[in-house]
Structure formats: structure tokens, C-alpha cells
Amino acid sequence: MCVGIDQPSSRLVLLQDIDKKSEDLALSMSLIRRFPSMALSDKMQDTHVYVFQRWVLDYVSAHPEIVSLQEDLLPLLARAQSQPHLLEKNGIDRYLPASTAQRIDEYDTGVQFGQHEQADHSDSTKSDSLEVFVYVRRGGIIGRANEIPRYCDLNSVVARISTGARTDGSAILAQQTQVGAESMVGASTQLRERCSVKRSVVGAHCNIGKDVKIVNSVIMDHVTIGDGVKLESCIVCKLASVGNNAQLKGCEVGPRVAVPDDSSFKNTPVTEDSDLLDDGMNTEFR
């Protein structure tokens, strides 16, 4: 994906698929004239975080052919900034706020009566009725955590590169408890005897029992975990509790959920409304 950004204004002016086998990129003259200070890059990654005005959501709702914001909507809005005729062609002008639509009408009237002497200037006036901005994060870490393993991996990366203390000074670690170099333990958390924490993040004010093994997981604040629990690639949300000897792999435990003793779950969300809580002791775990 090639991204074009107007450097003076930080406007997103191009979002276009590119052929990896070709070194050529076709750009319209209207785009080049409108945004001569455009910078191009094929190294950026979309974080899938978008902020829209209400009229954009109304437009999407009225056009079911738009199935992807990244592939359908954003490229269109970006092109319309340098090709104003797309506003009318795609019906976008009908959804623009009243003040914006009025500016377009004034532009059209001015053209009819010859009030715009320079075509380039008038084109920019009309295209400014729609503005698409982009924020480029430089440095730090940004990733898409749309799956449990990816969310756990991102937390692991943050823990690995963090320059702060791996274990907060107020945390209490009992004898024979091991916290790996790529893990973090929050404030006032207590880990009892023979706990093992590897590639995981444990939040603040948690109470972790004896003989607990936590691998590639995220334990949020105020969580209670009983003795003998095994967690792998899990997310345990705030104020949840996991009973003694429970085994969970690839699970998300919802906030305030109490997982029963001796229960086993694999690759499933565990929430307050989950029927699995009723028969968790019989759920097969491999």
C-alpha cells in the first residue's frame, strides 16, 4: 500500500495499492498540482484507528458497497481532495455539512460568472470542502491487537524493551518464584511460592497463588489466581478470579468473572454469560 501525505498540512492525499513487481507508480496530474509537497511511502502500516465526522458514517450506512474503510472509503475520500468532481459523482456532496456545501455552491456560481480568474486556485477552494488528515507515529510501538495472541505478543514486546523496573518495588515475590526477563509485575502484587511468570505482564494489586505457571499472558489489575493454575496465551481482565488448579489456554477471561476450581478451557472467551462456566470442570483441555 502506497501512502501519500501532504507535508505542510498532514493531509492524507493518496492511499493506493501498488504492484510489488513494478517500480512504476501512476499519479494523476491533478494530485501533483494540488499537493506539490506530497511525500510517498510504502513502509507505513495502518493501525485501523479512524475518527470520522457524523456525515461520513451516514454516507457509509447509505452505501452498502463500502465494505472496507481501508480499501473502499479512505482511498475515495483521499482522491476527492484533488479531484473535486468525485464529490458529486459519488454522492458525497449530499452528505457534507451545510456550511461546506454552501462553499461548493459559491464556487460553482463564481465559475459561471467568471469570478475565479485562476483555475488552480478555484479547484483548491472546492477540494478543501473535504479534508482527510493523518497522524504519523514516529518511534514507540504501534500494533494491531485484533487477536489474543497478538495482544499478548505486543505486551511482551513492551515488557522486553521497557527501560523501567521489571518488578515494581512494592510487589512481593515469595521464595522460589521466577519472573522472566521479558515479564513485568505491577505495584502491590503478590506472587506466592514456586510461581513462574514467562513472557507475561501481571498488573497491579493481583494475588497469585502457589505453583502457578503464567506463560505469554496478560493479567490485568486486581486479579486473583488460585493455587496450581496454568495460564498460557490468556488475557485475564480486571477484577476476575481463577480458581485452584484451573487450566486455560488461548482464553480471554472477562472482567469480574469467576472461573471455577479444576476447570479447563481452551481457545474460548470466558464471560459472565458463558454457558461454559456451568460445565467448565468437564471441558476437555489438551
Side-chain angles (χ1 to χ4, degrees):
M1 181 72 71
C2 181
V3 178
I5 300 175
D6 180 51
Q7 297 184 85
S9 64
S10 295
R11 287 168 68 170
L12 176 67
V13 298
L14 178 69
L15 193 62
Q16 178 177 314
D17 288 328
I18 57 176
D19 184 359
K20 295 292 186 179
K21 299 180 181 180
S22 174
E23 297 181 356
D24 298 331
L25 178 66
L27 299 176
S28 66
M29 289 304 300
S30 60
L31 174 62
I32 297 174
R33 286 196 300 266
R34 180 67 185 89
F35 300 104
S37 299
M38 173 182 57
L40 300 175
S41 174
D42 62 351
K43 304 300 183 182
M44 295 185 181
Q45 182 178 6
D46 189 353
T47 60
H48 299 269
V49 178
Y50 311 113
V51 179
F52 295 117
Q53 291 184 340
R54 179 67 196 186
W55 70 265
V56 180
L57 302 181
D58 294 338
Y59 178 78
V60 172
S61 298
H63 292 77
E65 69 274 12
I66 298 178
V67 297
S68 169
L69 298 178
Q70 183 190 60
E71 297 180 4
D72 301 327
L73 179 64
L74 291 180
L76 172 61
L77 296 181
R79 290 197 309 272
Q81 294 175 106
S82 59
Q83 303 177 50
H85 69 278
L86 293 177
L87 297 175
E88 182 177 357
K89 179 180 178 180
N90 293 275
I92 298 174
D93 56 341
R94 297 196 298 269
Y95 291 86
L96 291 171
S99 59
T100 301
Q102 182 179 358
R103 290 201 301 271
I104 296 177
D105 291 341
E106 291 174 351
Y107 159 79
D108 291 334
T109 303
V111 170
Q112 292 176 9
F113 288 93
Q115 296 176 5
H116 290 268
E117 298 179 356
Q118 298 181 359
D120 289 346
H121 173 72
S122 59
D123 284 346
S124 66
T125 300
K126 187 172 184 181
S127 62
D128 279 341
S129 61
L130 173 65
E131 295 177 311
V132 182
F133 294 97
V134 61
Y135 172 73
V136 179
R137 172 66 178 178
R138 305 185 189 279
I141 298 175
I142 292 180
R144 190 181 184 195
N146 58 327
E147 298 175 350
I148 290 178
R150 289 181 62 87
Y151 180 78
C152 293
D153 289 343
L154 283 172
N155 277 270
S156 178
V157 170
V158 172
R160 185 167 62 250
I161 69 174
S162 174
T163 58
R166 297 284 185 229
T167 302
D168 189 88
S170 61
I172 301 175
L173 276 62
Q175 294 181 352
Q176 299 181 333
T177 290
Q178 298 179 346
V179 177
E182 298 180 3
S183 299
M184 300 184 72
V185 177
S188 301
T189 285
Q190 182 172 1
L191 284 78
R192 303 188 185 279
E193 292 81 1
R194 297 178 297 280
C195 286
S196 175
V197 179
K198 298 180 179 179
R199 301 187 303 279
S200 299
V201 175
V202 180
H205 305 284
C206 295
N207 193 339
I208 313 297
K210 302 177 182 178
D211 301 305
V212 172
K213 293 183 178 180
I214 302 173
V215 180
N216 196 34
S217 297
V218 178
I219 313 300
M220 298 186 183
D221 297 345
H222 298 280
V223 168
T224 300
I225 297 179
D227 298 340
V229 171
K230 292 180 175 61
L231 302 175
E232 181 179 349
S233 301
C234 293
I235 301 173
V236 183
C237 295
K238 188 175 182 179
L239 296 171
S241 63
V242 181
N244 296 331
N245 301 312
Q247 299 184 48
L248 284 77
K249 182 177 181 179
C251 297
E252 177 184 354
V253 180
R256 300 180 184 275
V257 169
V259 178
D261 294 348
D262 302 307
S263 56
S264 299
F265 299 107
K266 182 179 181 180
N267 299 328
T268 184
V270 184
T271 65
E272 289 183 343
D273 299 328
S274 176
D275 295 335
L276 295 175
L277 290 179
D278 297 331
D279 59 351
M281 294 179 64
N282 299 320
T283 303
E284 183 178 3
F285 180 85
R286 295 179 180 176

